[in-house]
Amino acid sequence: MGDIILYVAIALFSVALGGFLAYFLKINLTDKKAKQMLINAESEAEVIKKEKMLQAKEKYLQLKAEFEEQTNEKSIRLASIDAKQKQRELALNQRREELIKKQKEIEQKTKEVDAIKSNLTVQLEVVEKKNLDLEATRKEQVEKLEALAGISGVEAKQQLVDSLKEEAKIEAQSYINDIIEESKINATKEAKRIVLTTIQRVGTEAAVENSVTVFHIDNDEIKGRIIGREGRNIRALEAATGIEIIVDDTPEAIVLSGFDPVRREIARLALHQLVTDGRIHPARIEEIVAKTKKQIEEEILEVGKRTCIDLGIHGLHPELIRMVGKMKYRSSYGQNLLQHSRETANLCAIMAAELGLNAKIAKRAGLLHDIGKVPDEETEIPHALYGAKLAEKFKEKPEVCNAIGAHHDEIEMNNLLAPIVQVCDAISGARPGARREVAENYIKRLKELEALALSYPGVSKSYAIQAGRELRVIVGSDKVSDKEAETLSNNIAKKIQTEMTYPGQVKITVIREKRSVAYAK
């Protein structure tokens, strides 16, 4: 509407302007030209007026159509809203009627519940009265039973509980034994499979070393030349090698005594060269010993390199390679240390592969686990800890260092490689023929086993048999029952595990002995 008013105003303004110009020109112009201009102006004003009126009319019609369209749309929307409102009112009215109906039903149910409640109250009172009568009757019966039995109800209950406890304890122990036996069968079967598979794939030779080397000679005349004038040759040889040389009445033999196997080997080789050459005097002895030491060092390094190549171990520090070669001249309980380390390395690799671990790292740790036994200097640190320090010094991996240091439980294990090295070390050392056990320690261990079994009540005799791998315990039949015998065998086994150190496993057999004696006269 505002646009229509604007167009109309413009048209009226144009007409007024044309009339004003015509009036002005009529007053001020008198010539023909002015009249002509007036006529033209009036005609132009008339044309403008008609155009503006047409435009105003068109705009008016357009705005009117838009207004009617909007009005129709609003009417439709209002009609829709009105219909929805009516539907809602109908739904609300329907819901209100349903609520009123439900409220009436609830009131009816409430009345019924109240009636039932009143009936139940009456019945409860009757039941309570009967319960009181029953309780009084029960007390009377209990008093009569206690008088007849001669014990109180509490005592009888306690006796029943004790009996049930004992019975449950025996049954539980039997059940535990069955479970333990079943677990042992399965666990032992799997463990044996892995260990046997591992051992069968490793074959090594067992070498026995000691602290004495015997040097054989062709005749006893050479003994005098080795001793020399006033013993100067033998003194020079002992000073150069650090080995005690024993020349006694043993025919065609000289004994080289010393705890360092490398020095004994140097002395043996030097003595062999001196005897072969025939020139034996202090200066020659020093020269030959120095040359032999150099040869032995080269041989140690070559043995270490060859061992690493044979085992497929690469990137080992040269000093560690030298220590590996040095193991050739070291023994532990009669077992050659290099052979033991090679065997442990192979066992570790195979067992790690069986368990899905890194076989190369396991083999590396197995080879290096005893390098603390071949130190270049004397140390009071246990060989496992010293070996771990050496491995750490020469940039070995942390899991390898931990496995070396923990294979005798002197530090805590922090990876799965450590128990594998420990187990494989024990397998290599405990296999038949690998090591020699001192007789005194062996006898002491057997006596400790027998004494441990005798410490339990009811045990009359105990025997350690099969080199200490089985302990037979004899108990009196009047002191120990069959069920208690099972418990006793488990208790002895647990005590042996916690208090003693032993290779392999110990089988405990409890025998419940019953004797019947009669005399014929």
Side-chain angles (χ1 to χ4, degrees), residues 79 89 100 110 175 203 245 252 266 272 311 339 421 446:
E89 288 178 358
I100 292 170
T110 303
Y175 184 65
I245 301 175
E252 298 181 356
I266 291 172
H272 177 73
L311 294 175
Q339 291 291 73
V421 172
L446 297 186

Side-chain angles (χ1 to χ4, degrees), residues 7-123:
Y7 282 115
V8 172
I10 292 171
L12 294 174
F13 177 73
S14 300
V15 173
L17 180 62
F20 176 73
L21 290 172
Y23 177 75
F24 181 75
L25 291 172
K26 284 179 182 179
I27 296 173
N28 296 303
L29 299 175
T30 55
D31 55 358
K32 291 181 179 180
K33 188 176 182 179
K35 289 180 180 179
Q36 186 63 39
M37 289 176 64
L38 180 61
I39 292 169
N40 292 338
E42 287 177 352
S43 62
E44 289 178 2
E46 188 65 26
V47 172
I48 291 171
K49 176 182 175 183
K50 288 180 180 180
E51 289 178 356
K52 294 299 181 182
M53 289 298 289
L54 288 172
Q55 290 177 0
K57 188 175 181 180
E58 289 176 358
K59 190 66 177 177
Y60 170 74
L61 292 174
Q62 182 182 356
L63 292 174
K64 182 180 179 183
E66 291 178 356
F67 177 74
E68 288 177 352
E69 185 178 355
Q70 292 176 358
T71 303
N72 291 334
E73 289 178 357
K74 287 181 179 179
S75 298
I76 293 169
R77 285 201 299 271
L78 288 173
S80 176
I81 292 169
D82 188 38
K84 289 181 181 179
Q85 189 67 26
K86 286 181 180 180
Q87 289 178 357
R88 286 181 182 177
E89 288 178 358
L90 290 173
L92 288 173
N93 290 333
Q94 188 175 0
R95 286 186 182 179
R96 185 175 61 183
E97 291 176 358
E98 291 176 357
L99 288 173
I100 292 170
K101 185 177 179 180
K102 287 183 179 180
Q103 186 176 3
K104 289 179 179 180
E105 291 177 356
I106 290 170
E107 290 175 355
Q108 182 65 28
K109 293 267 179 91
T110 303
K111 290 178 181 180
E112 293 175 359
V113 169
D114 291 338
I116 293 171
K117 186 176 179 182
S118 61
N119 292 332
L120 286 175
T121 303
V122 175
Q123 291 178 4

Side-chain angles (χ1 to χ4, degrees), residues 1 27 165-166 243 273 322 331 386 495:
M1 294 299 291
I27 296 173
K165 278 184 179 179
E166 188 64 26
I243 293 298
Q273 291 187 28
R322 188 181 70 83
S331 63
Y386 187 69
K495 193 168 183 179

Side-chain angles (χ1 to χ4, degrees), residues 110-376:
T110 303
K111 290 178 181 180
E112 293 175 359
V113 169
D114 291 338
I116 293 171
K117 186 176 179 182
S118 61
N119 292 332
L120 286 175
T121 303
V122 175
Q123 291 178 4
L124 283 173
E125 291 175 356
V126 174
V127 170
E128 286 178 359
K129 187 177 180 181
K130 288 183 179 180
N131 285 339
L132 291 173
D133 295 339
L134 287 172
E135 183 66 23
T137 305
R138 190 187 66 80
K139 287 182 179 179
E140 185 179 352
Q141 294 295 330
V142 168
E143 290 175 357
K144 289 181 180 180
L145 287 172
E146 288 178 353
L148 290 172
I151 58 173
S152 65
V154 176
E155 293 174 350
K157 185 178 180 181
Q158 185 62 39
Q159 288 181 6
L160 180 61
V161 169
D162 292 341
S163 175
L164 291 174
K165 278 184 179 179
E166 188 64 26
E167 185 178 352
K169 185 177 180 181
I170 293 172
E171 290 182 359
Q173 185 62 47
S174 177
Y175 184 65
I176 289 171
N177 289 336
D178 293 340
I179 293 175
I180 290 174
E181 287 300 323
E182 185 178 356
S183 301
K184 282 181 179 178
I185 290 171
N186 296 332
T188 304
K189 184 177 179 181
E190 184 63 19
K192 283 181 178 178
R193 185 191 68 79
I194 293 176
V195 173
L196 288 174
T197 302
T198 304
I199 293 175
Q200 286 171 359
R201 292 169 62 183
V202 177
T204 59
E205 298 177 357
V208 177
E209 301 287 341
N210 49 39
S211 60
V212 174
T213 300
V214 178
F215 178 73
H216 296 280
I217 56 178
D218 294 334
N219 54 69
D220 290 340
E221 295 179 0
I222 299 176
K223 290 183 180 180
R225 297 176 58 189
I226 292 173
I227 295 171
R229 184 179 299 175
E230 297 179 356
R232 63 177 186 174
N233 290 345
I234 195 170
R235 283 198 302 271
L237 193 57
E238 288 179 344
T241 60
I243 293 298
E244 182 181 0
I245 301 175
I246 302 172
V247 181
D248 53 15
D249 296 335
T250 304
E252 298 181 356
I254 295 174
V255 177
L256 308 177
S257 176
F259 289 103
D260 191 333
V262 176
R263 290 179 181 177
R264 288 205 314 273
E265 184 67 11
I266 291 172
R268 187 187 70 81
L269 293 176
L271 199 57
H272 177 73
Q273 291 187 28
L274 289 169
V275 171
T276 303
D277 184 55
R279 294 177 294 170
I280 306 175
H281 54 82
R284 180 66 175 167
I285 288 171
E286 291 180 0
E287 179 186 352
I288 293 296
V289 168
K291 187 184 295 184
T292 305
K293 281 183 180 179
K294 186 177 180 182
Q295 291 176 356
I296 289 293
E297 286 294 328
E298 292 176 354
E299 183 180 353
I300 285 172
L301 193 59
E302 182 63 27
V303 169
K305 289 179 179 178
R306 189 166 60 250
T307 301
C308 293
I309 292 171
D310 292 343
L311 294 175
I313 296 174
H314 306 287
L316 208 61
H317 193 278
E319 189 62 26
L320 291 178
I321 294 175
R322 188 181 70 83
M323 288 184 175
V324 170
K326 198 174 177 182
M327 289 181 185
K328 178 182 177 182
Y329 303 100
R330 176 74 160 81
S331 63
S332 177
Y333 297 99
Q335 185 180 25
N336 182 268
L337 191 59
L338 180 60
Q339 291 291 73
H340 166 64
S341 297
R342 288 172 65 104
E343 184 176 6
T344 303
N346 288 322
L347 288 168
C348 288
I350 298 170
M351 193 168 289
E354 289 284 337
L355 298 174
L357 302 176
N358 191 323
K360 291 185 177 180
I361 297 178
K363 185 182 288 186
R364 196 182 192 98
L367 178 65
L368 299 177
H369 80 282
D370 270 346
I371 56 173
K373 289 185 177 180
V374 287
D376 291 330

